């Protein structure tokens, strides 16, 4: 199953706008945490989301399109202009992320 990292940056947004974005991204299946090899959960940086749900089996580009479209759908609900980027990853490394309690 493919794994994706998506970053959304809302333009001229306040904390309420980002709370709305977080809620909408969660509805679309995105998470604000990643799980380490030891099973511990870590918070992603602000504006970044993780997606690892099945979408289209054996359809690489359709997966990309589907994940980005889910993010666009969520961001549109904030009624703010935004920038978005989605990347597919097969491995993640990180440093100094906060542990989720």
């Amino acid at each position: 199953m493919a794994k994706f990292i998506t970053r959304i940056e809302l333009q001229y947004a306040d904390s309420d706008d980002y709370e709305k974005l977080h809620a909408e991204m969660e509805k679309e299946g995105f998470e604000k945490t990643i799980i380490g090899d030891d099973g511990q959960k870590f918070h992603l940086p602000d504006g970044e989301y993780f997606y690892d749900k099945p979408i289209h089996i054996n359809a690489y580009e359709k997966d990309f399109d589907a994940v980005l479209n889910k993010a666009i759908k969520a961001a549109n609900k904030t009624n703010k202009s935004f920038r978005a980027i989605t990347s597919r990853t097969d491995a993640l490394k990180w440093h100094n992320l906060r542990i989720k309690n």
Side-chain angles (χ1 to χ4, degrees), residues 4 8 17 19 35 37 41 50 63 80-81 97 101:
F4 299 87
I8 302 282
D17 296 318
E19 288 302 317
I35 299 174
D37 292 337
K41 284 190 175 185
F50 181 70
D63 283 353
K80 294 288 181 181
S81 296
L97 294 182
N101 295 327

Side-chain angles (χ1 to χ4, degrees), residues 16-29:
D16 289 341
D17 296 318
Y18 274 98
E19 288 302 317
K20 173 79 171 170
L21 176 64
H22 300 326
E24 294 300 328
M25 292 292 279
E26 188 175 283
K27 286 179 190 175
E28 293 297 325

Side-chain angles (χ1 to χ4, degrees), residues 5-70:
I5 294 287
T6 297
R7 177 161 177 75
I8 302 282
E9 182 181 299
L10 300 177
Q11 304 295 300
Y12 308 106
D14 60 24
S15 60
D16 289 341
D17 296 318
Y18 274 98
E19 288 302 317
K20 173 79 171 170
L21 176 64
H22 300 326
E24 294 300 328
M25 292 292 279
E26 188 175 283
K27 286 179 190 175
E28 293 297 325
F30 291 87
E31 298 179 32
K32 287 291 299 157
T33 58
I34 52 177
I35 299 174
D37 292 337
D38 60 359
Q40 233 174 353
K41 284 190 175 185
F42 295 86
H43 290 278
L44 287 169
D46 292 340
E48 294 200 9
Y49 300 87
F50 181 70
Y51 192 94
D52 68 346
K53 316 286 184 287
I55 300 172
H56 300 285
I57 305 214
N58 299 321
Y60 174 79
E61 289 170 321
K62 288 185 181 180
D63 283 353
F64 249 126
D65 291 340
V67 172
L68 182 58
N69 287 336
K70 285 175 166 292

